[in-house]
Amino acid sequence: MTNQMTPTMDEQARAILRGNDRGGYTVPTSGLYPYQWNWDSAFAAWGFATFDVARAWVEIETLLSGQWDNGMVPHILFHRPDPGYFPGPDVWGGVGPVPSSGISQPPVAASFARRVYDMDPDASREALVRIFPKLKAWHQWFMDWRLDQGAVCITHPWEAGRDNTPDWDGAMAGIDPVGVGDYTRRDTSHVDPAMRPTKYDYDRYIWLVQLGRRLNWGDAALLKQNPFRVADPTMTFTLLRAQRDLAALGRALGEDVGSIDAAIQELEAGAETLWNPDLACYDARDVRSGKWAGCVSNASFLNWYAGIDHPGMVAQYDRITSICKYPVPSHDPSSDRFDPKRYWRGPTWGIMNALIGLGLEECGHTDRAEALRQTTGELIRDHGFAEYFDPLTGRAAGGGTFTWTAAVWLGWTSPSRPKGAS
Ligand code: 2M8
């Protein structure tokens, strides 16, 4: 029997989703992130689907309402102005139907749409018919503008969602943020600055936004003029997986999926260009300099999620999980660039664990998948629905009452998750 005074973890997670619901979309957490973020919303849809399938579809449809004419789906939709976040819509100057940023984010929406659809196909079919062409156009935009030898590139560190990971250190060092001007950060008034990116990082983030805006976010111009272009495992593996899921959804609708199947082949070949033989791991590749990042990150381990069971990655995974109590760290703890509290330079993220765990399970590494599910569930139960966690101590870090951590609980780690959620 449930004690009314102490809500269960499931109840707490649902209350977080409802509390962060702004009517048609959820914010990642109030205060620190007051808008709709792209991949956060896809995770939110997963969480909602465990108790309200219709609301899950609304989340995805609101996200896609911001799609640009070129097919791009922005990383932030600024539905309502909020002075608590920088940079806002006036800095970005997005050119879509809803005020937005000018870059995208890891395309996990099609994959969660498939999960939601599978949980209740009858209730989902109409929404799926509406969103299928939009997801297809978004994926095609990546294929048209973001490939390097078949691997997917980012044009801004924020695009991969792993903002300050050491993966971009080399490419960031190539930017001289001249003329960036004065600005006031808002993130460090919400969260301990030791857990956030540095001023060095922010100067370059803003400089890149100003460049994109000057070029009116034109894809061809950015391809030529943006010094930051990195082939990234997050994007490559999530798009590969998303294309596989979109093809399955297309078949369920009786659509022609020939072009999606061709894209899958191209991305499979592209993923192999991210194999760094010296590191014996999937790695980020700076397209401008041709240099490897030399980083074992949590995105390296998304290969299974993409359906690629590379034998070398099991050895890497076992090494990394043996050197920290709460894997998977966003950067290798044995590296001198590892920082257990600073955002994407060390901390463990529930969403990445969920993607890694789903992939491990699908590729038959069931013991590893189950162990990761257990430690992630333990982290959330013992330390709360935090944005991220110290991989050595488990301590909560960043923002609290976080939408995607609540969603990961409901969809993946909760012992009572509905059948089909994971
Ligand atoms: C973080 O990124 C935003 C910029 O997009 C920020 O720090 O202001 C990242 O963790 C990103 O992956 C995430 O989608 C976003 C909202 O949770 O926050």
Side-chain angles (χ1 to χ4, degrees):
M1 224 177 82
T2 310
N3 175 348
Q4 290 200 327
M5 299 306 287
T6 46
T8 64
M9 288 294 290
D10 284 8
E11 285 164 350
Q12 290 179 50
R14 288 194 286 263
I16 288 174
L17 291 186
R18 290 201 193 94
N20 289 339
D21 187 345
R22 295 291 177 271
Y25 70 95
T26 49
V27 297
T29 186
S30 75
L32 180 62
Y33 303 122
Y35 298 113
Q36 183 176 24
W37 260 261
N38 187 321
W39 69 330
D40 299 65
S41 267
F43 284 99
W46 188 25
F48 277 123
T50 64
F51 62 101
D52 186 348
V53 167
R55 179 62 186 80
W57 286 114
V58 170
E59 186 77 25
I60 295 177
E61 293 212 63
T62 307
L63 173 67
L64 294 173
S65 74
Q67 183 165 40
W68 289 14
D69 285 348
N70 63 359
M72 197 271 281
V73 179
H75 105 291
I76 309 176
L77 296 181
F78 303 108
H79 294 290
R80 268 179 257 154
D82 190 311
Y85 183 82
F86 177 85
D90 47 325
V91 182
W92 281 98
V95 298
V98 174
S100 75
S101 68
I103 57 171
S104 200
Q105 250 191 341
V108 294
S111 298
F112 286 109
R114 182 180 183 189
R115 228 160 256 278
V116 178
Y117 175 79
D118 286 348
M119 286 165 78
D120 193 343
D122 290 341
S124 298
R125 203 174 164 89
E126 279 181 22
L128 184 61
V129 168
R130 285 193 298 271
I131 67 164
F132 180 80
K134 298 181 183 181
L135 291 170
K136 192 174 169 191
W138 180 25
H139 291 186
Q140 190 56 44
W141 170 82
F142 281 110
M143 302 303 295
D144 290 343
W145 293 107
R146 292 302 174 84
L147 293 197
D148 178 81
Q149 302 169 57
V152 185
C153 301
I154 55 165
T155 59
H156 191 296
W158 282 335
E159 202 153 42
R162 299 184 296 125
D163 305 8
N164 66 339
T165 173
D167 293 42
W168 332 131
D169 284 357
M172 288 286 267
I175 296 174
D176 179 5
V178 62
V180 74
D182 292 335
Y183 59 88
T184 306
R185 283 175 68 170
R186 306 308 305 262
D187 58 317
T188 43
S189 63
H190 298 287
V191 166
D192 177 357
M195 296 177 178
R196 294 290 303 175
T198 59
K199 173 165 166 53
Y200 171 95
D201 294 320
Y202 257 77
D203 281 353
R204 284 157 182 79
Y205 298 158
I206 303 306
W207 186 89
L208 284 168
V209 172
Q210 292 169 347
L211 172 72
R213 185 177 188 162
R214 239 186 350 266
L215 300 176
N216 210 23
W217 300 107
D219 293 309
L222 276 165
L223 180 59
K224 269 204 206 117
Q225 296 185 45
N226 187 341
F228 187 95
R229 195 170 176 86
V230 183
D232 161 43
T234 341
M235 283 294 188
T236 306
F237 289 138
T238 56
L239 183 62
L240 175 49
R241 171 58 185 260
Q243 294 281 40
R244 295 192 201 284
D245 289 322
L246 192 66
L249 290 172
R251 282 190 195 96
L253 293 178
E255 295 276 344
D256 174 8
V257 296
S259 63
I260 306 175
D261 284 339
I264 290 170
Q265 284 190 13
E266 207 174 342
L267 291 165
E268 280 174 343
E272 290 322 303
T273 73
L274 297 182
W275 182 258
N276 177 343
D278 297 330
L279 190 66
C281 191
Y282 288 109
D283 192 7
R285 182 163 53 72
D286 182 343
V287 169
R288 298 298 187 213
S289 70
K291 288 190 183 142
W292 289 111
C295 292
V296 179
S297 74
N298 47 1
S300 303
F301 299 112
L302 293 177
N303 60 294
W304 298 295
Y305 179 70
I308 299 173
D309 193 8
H310 194 297
M313 289 309 293
V314 174
Q316 277 294 356
Y317 185 80
D318 289 348
R319 180 180 70 80
I320 291 285
T321 53
S322 73
I323 53 178
C324 62
K325 192 166 173 208
Y326 300 103
V328 178
S330 42
H331 189 65
D332 184 346
S334 68
S335 151
D336 56 9
R337 290 187 282 177
F338 171 75
D339 181 340
K341 285 181 191 54
R342 203 180 284 279
Y343 213 34
W344 290 92
R345 299 183 78 86
T348 288
W349 295 71
I351 49 142
M352 295 299 277
N353 282 10
L355 301 182
I356 295 166
L358 292 172
L360 280 168
E361 192 168 340
E362 288 162 358
C363 286
H365 303 290
T366 42
D367 291 352
R368 290 179 180 84
E370 200 42 44
L372 188 58
R373 195 203 301 270
Q374 290 303 327
T375 54
T376 309
E378 212 181 292
L379 262 182
I380 301 173
R381 203 175 313 105
D382 296 349
H383 300 275
F385 295 92
E387 185 179 7
Y388 43 94
F389 304 89
D390 182 322
L392 306 178
T393 64
R395 265 188 58 191
T401 55
F402 222 84
T403 292
W404 66 16
T405 310
V408 163
W409 174 270
L410 291 169
W412 187 56
T413 54
S414 169
S416 56
R417 66 192 174 280
K419 207 170 163 278
S422 60

mmCIF file of all heavy atoms in Angstrom, residues 128-146:
data_model
loop_
_atom_site.group_PDB
_atom_site.id
_atom_site.type_symbol
_atom_site.label_atom_id
_atom_site.label_comp_id
_atom_site.label_asym_id
_atom_site.label_seq_id
_atom_site.Cartn_x
_atom_site.Cartn_y
_atom_site.Cartn_z
ATOM 1 N N LEU A 128 1.005 9.647 -35.968
ATOM 2 C CA LEU A 128 2.141 9.140 -36.741
ATOM 3 C C LEU A 128 2.034 9.536 -38.220
ATOM 4 O O LEU A 128 3.028 9.936 -38.832
ATOM 5 C CB LEU A 128 2.230 7.613 -36.593
ATOM 6 C CG LEU A 128 3.427 6.979 -37.284
ATOM 7 C CD1 LEU A 128 4.737 7.508 -36.701
ATOM 8 C CD2 LEU A 128 3.378 5.460 -37.166
ATOM 9 N N VAL A 129 0.831 9.443 -38.751
ATOM 10 C CA VAL A 129 0.626 9.844 -40.154
ATOM 11 C C VAL A 129 1.019 11.314 -40.330
ATOM 12 O O VAL A 129 1.669 11.685 -41.310
ATOM 13 C CB VAL A 129 -0.848 9.607 -40.569
ATOM 14 C CG1 VAL A 129 -1.162 10.269 -41.907
ATOM 15 C CG2 VAL A 129 -1.151 8.107 -40.620
ATOM 16 N N ARG A 130 0.676 12.139 -39.359
ATOM 17 C CA ARG A 130 0.997 13.578 -39.468
ATOM 18 C C ARG A 130 2.494 13.847 -39.353
ATOM 19 O O ARG A 130 3.044 14.691 -40.039
ATOM 20 C CB ARG A 130 0.264 14.374 -38.367
ATOM 21 C CG ARG A 130 -1.209 14.573 -38.611
ATOM 22 C CD ARG A 130 -1.774 15.623 -37.670
ATOM 23 N NE ARG A 130 -1.679 15.261 -36.263
ATOM 24 C CZ ARG A 130 -2.604 14.575 -35.595
ATOM 25 N NH1 ARG A 130 -3.702 14.166 -36.197
ATOM 26 N NH2 ARG A 130 -2.442 14.267 -34.319
ATOM 27 N N ILE A 131 3.160 13.125 -38.453
ATOM 28 C CA ILE A 131 4.566 13.490 -38.201
ATOM 29 C C ILE A 131 5.553 12.780 -39.121
ATOM 30 O O ILE A 131 6.681 13.245 -39.275
ATOM 31 C CB ILE A 131 4.991 13.248 -36.728
ATOM 32 C CG1 ILE A 131 5.009 11.751 -36.392
ATOM 33 C CG2 ILE A 131 4.127 14.052 -35.766
ATOM 34 C CD1 ILE A 131 5.768 11.440 -35.121
ATOM 35 N N PHE A 132 5.142 11.674 -39.731
ATOM 36 C CA PHE A 132 6.106 10.898 -40.530
ATOM 37 C C PHE A 132 6.838 11.761 -41.575
ATOM 38 O O PHE A 132 8.080 11.763 -41.628
ATOM 39 C CB PHE A 132 5.411 9.689 -41.182
ATOM 40 C CG PHE A 132 6.341 8.866 -42.013
ATOM 41 C CD1 PHE A 132 7.203 7.944 -41.433
ATOM 42 C CD2 PHE A 132 6.408 9.045 -43.398
ATOM 43 C CE1 PHE A 132 8.095 7.208 -42.208
ATOM 44 C CE2 PHE A 132 7.291 8.323 -44.175
ATOM 45 C CZ PHE A 132 8.138 7.398 -43.578
ATOM 46 N N PRO A 133 6.111 12.539 -42.402
ATOM 47 C CA PRO A 133 6.841 13.327 -43.420
ATOM 48 C C PRO A 133 7.763 14.379 -42.798
ATOM 49 O O PRO A 133 8.810 14.704 -43.378
ATOM 50 C CB PRO A 133 5.726 13.998 -44.237
ATOM 51 C CG PRO A 133 4.454 13.748 -43.517
ATOM 52 C CD PRO A 133 4.658 12.663 -42.519
ATOM 53 N N LYS A 134 7.402 14.864 -41.631
ATOM 54 C CA LYS A 134 8.237 15.893 -40.980
ATOM 55 C C LYS A 134 9.544 15.284 -40.481
ATOM 56 O O LYS A 134 10.626 15.856 -40.647
ATOM 57 C CB LYS A 134 7.465 16.540 -39.823
ATOM 58 C CG LYS A 134 6.210 17.246 -40.295
ATOM 59 C CD LYS A 134 5.469 17.900 -39.153
ATOM 60 C CE LYS A 134 4.180 18.529 -39.691
ATOM 61 N NZ LYS A 134 3.413 19.193 -38.669
ATOM 62 N N LEU A 135 9.419 14.111 -39.859
ATOM 63 C CA LEU A 135 10.643 13.443 -39.386
ATOM 64 C C LEU A 135 11.533 13.067 -40.567
ATOM 65 O O LEU A 135 12.759 13.227 -40.526
ATOM 66 C CB LEU A 135 10.278 12.179 -38.586
ATOM 67 C CG LEU A 135 9.605 12.430 -37.232
ATOM 68 C CD1 LEU A 135 9.069 11.126 -36.646
ATOM 69 C CD2 LEU A 135 10.583 13.069 -36.238
ATOM 70 N N LYS A 136 10.903 12.632 -41.651
ATOM 71 C CA LYS A 136 11.668 12.237 -42.834
ATOM 72 C C LYS A 136 12.440 13.437 -43.399
ATOM 73 O O LYS A 136 13.622 13.342 -43.749
ATOM 74 C CB LYS A 136 10.701 11.664 -43.876
ATOM 75 C CG LYS A 136 11.369 10.973 -45.017
ATOM 76 C CD LYS A 136 10.339 10.305 -45.921
ATOM 77 C CE LYS A 136 11.017 9.850 -47.200
ATOM 78 N NZ LYS A 136 10.052 9.447 -48.215
ATOM 79 N N ALA A 137 11.765 14.581 -43.450
ATOM 80 C CA ALA A 137 12.419 15.792 -43.985
ATOM 81 C C ALA A 137 13.561 16.240 -43.065
ATOM 82 O O ALA A 137 14.617 16.692 -43.533
ATOM 83 C CB ALA A 137 11.388 16.906 -44.126
ATOM 84 N N TRP A 138 13.357 16.114 -41.773
ATOM 85 C CA TRP A 138 14.413 16.508 -40.823
ATOM 86 C C TRP A 138 15.649 15.624 -41.004
ATOM 87 O O TRP A 138 16.780 16.097 -41.142
ATOM 88 C CB TRP A 138 13.866 16.402 -39.397
ATOM 89 C CG TRP A 138 14.825 16.779 -38.311
ATOM 90 C CD1 TRP A 138 15.909 17.619 -38.404
ATOM 91 C CD2 TRP A 138 14.777 16.322 -36.948
ATOM 92 N NE1 TRP A 138 16.538 17.723 -37.174
ATOM 93 C CE2 TRP A 138 15.868 16.939 -36.267
ATOM 94 C CE3 TRP A 138 13.929 15.484 -36.231
ATOM 95 C CZ2 TRP A 138 16.117 16.710 -34.911
ATOM 96 C CZ3 TRP A 138 14.174 15.273 -34.878
ATOM 97 C CH2 TRP A 138 15.254 15.877 -34.235
ATOM 98 N N HIS A 139 15.415 14.314 -41.059
ATOM 99 C CA HIS A 139 16.542 13.391 -41.250
ATOM 100 C C HIS A 139 17.255 13.677 -42.575
ATOM 101 O O HIS A 139 18.480 13.604 -42.660
ATOM 102 C CB HIS A 139 16.042 11.940 -41.240
ATOM 103 C CG HIS A 139 15.545 11.486 -39.884
ATOM 104 N ND1 HIS A 139 15.164 10.192 -39.625
ATOM 105 C CD2 HIS A 139 15.385 12.151 -38.713
ATOM 106 C CE1 HIS A 139 14.774 10.081 -38.360
ATOM 107 N NE2 HIS A 139 14.891 11.259 -37.788
ATOM 108 N N GLN A 140 16.451 13.985 -43.601
ATOM 109 C CA GLN A 140 17.050 14.235 -44.914
ATOM 110 C C GLN A 140 17.924 15.495 -44.881
ATOM 111 O O GLN A 140 18.954 15.575 -45.554
ATOM 112 C CB GLN A 140 15.942 14.357 -45.977
ATOM 113 C CG GLN A 140 16.466 14.377 -47.401
ATOM 114 C CD GLN A 140 17.340 13.162 -47.745
ATOM 115 O OE1 GLN A 140 17.001 12.025 -47.405
ATOM 116 N NE2 GLN A 140 18.479 13.391 -48.398
ATOM 117 N N TRP A 141 17.514 16.471 -44.060
ATOM 118 C CA TRP A 141 18.329 17.700 -43.920
ATOM 119 C C TRP A 141 19.728 17.351 -43.387
ATOM 120 O O TRP A 141 20.734 17.851 -43.884
ATOM 121 C CB TRP A 141 17.607 18.692 -42.991
ATOM 122 C CG TRP A 141 18.454 19.850 -42.596
ATOM 123 C CD1 TRP A 141 18.688 20.987 -43.321
ATOM 124 C CD2 TRP A 141 19.204 19.995 -41.379
ATOM 125 N NE1 TRP A 141 19.538 21.830 -42.629
ATOM 126 C CE2 TRP A 141 19.862 21.242 -41.438
ATOM 127 C CE3 TRP A 141 19.368 19.192 -40.245
ATOM 128 C CZ2 TRP A 141 20.688 21.703 -40.403
ATOM 129 C CZ3 TRP A 141 20.180 19.656 -39.224
ATOM 130 C CH2 TRP A 141 20.831 20.889 -39.314
ATOM 131 N N PHE A 142 19.801 16.449 -42.419
ATOM 132 C CA PHE A 142 21.121 16.002 -41.938
ATOM 133 C C PHE A 142 21.899 15.353 -43.088
ATOM 134 O O PHE A 142 23.090 15.598 -43.259
ATOM 135 C CB PHE A 142 20.977 14.957 -40.817
ATOM 136 C CG PHE A 142 20.652 15.520 -39.454
ATOM 137 C CD1 PHE A 142 19.411 15.322 -38.875
ATOM 138 C CD2 PHE A 142 21.603 16.225 -38.741
ATOM 139 C CE1 PHE A 142 19.124 15.812 -37.609
ATOM 140 C CE2 PHE A 142 21.331 16.719 -37.462
ATOM 141 C CZ PHE A 142 20.077 16.516 -36.909
ATOM 142 N N MET A 143 21.201 14.501 -43.838
ATOM 143 C CA MET A 143 21.882 13.784 -44.933
ATOM 144 C C MET A 143 22.386 14.773 -45.988
ATOM 145 O O MET A 143 23.460 14.583 -46.565
ATOM 146 C CB MET A 143 20.934 12.764 -45.593
ATOM 147 C CG MET A 143 20.344 11.694 -44.683
ATOM 148 S SD MET A 143 21.547 10.678 -43.784
ATOM 149 C CE MET A 143 22.370 9.796 -45.085
ATOM 150 N N ASP A 144 21.622 15.819 -46.243
ATOM 151 C CA ASP A 144 21.991 16.781 -47.296
ATOM 152 C C ASP A 144 23.113 17.728 -46.864
ATOM 153 O O ASP A 144 23.940 18.120 -47.690
ATOM 154 C CB ASP A 144 20.773 17.643 -47.678
ATOM 155 C CG ASP A 144 19.719 16.837 -48.415
ATOM 156 O OD1 ASP A 144 20.055 15.740 -48.913
ATOM 157 O OD2 ASP A 144 18.558 17.299 -48.481
ATOM 158 N N TRP A 145 23.116 18.118 -45.589
ATOM 159 C CA TRP A 145 23.993 19.221 -45.188
ATOM 160 C C TRP A 145 25.048 18.879 -44.160
ATOM 161 O O TRP A 145 25.933 19.673 -43.891
ATOM 162 C CB TRP A 145 23.148 20.392 -44.653
ATOM 163 C CG TRP A 145 22.342 20.991 -45.730
ATOM 164 C CD1 TRP A 145 20.992 20.881 -45.911
ATOM 165 C CD2 TRP A 145 22.838 21.783 -46.819
ATOM 166 N NE1 TRP A 145 20.612 21.563 -47.039
ATOM 167 C CE2 TRP A 145 21.726 22.124 -47.616
ATOM 168 C CE3 TRP A 145 24.109 22.234 -47.191
ATOM 169 C CZ2 TRP A 145 21.855 22.896 -48.772
ATOM 170 C CZ3 TRP A 145 24.230 23.011 -48.333
ATOM 171 C CH2 TRP A 145 23.115 23.326 -49.107
ATOM 172 N N ARG A 146 24.958 17.731 -43.535
ATOM 173 C CA ARG A 146 25.815 17.516 -42.379
ATOM 174 C C ARG A 146 26.738 16.307 -42.478
ATOM 175 O O ARG A 146 27.367 15.943 -41.491
ATOM 176 C CB ARG A 146 24.953 17.410 -41.109
ATOM 177 C CG ARG A 146 24.277 18.714 -40.745
ATOM 178 C CD ARG A 146 25.312 19.812 -40.550
ATOM 179 N NE ARG A 146 24.702 21.103 -40.340
ATOM 180 C CZ ARG A 146 24.268 21.559 -39.185
ATOM 181 N NH1 ARG A 146 24.348 20.818 -38.114
ATOM 182 N NH2 ARG A 146 23.767 22.766 -39.096
#
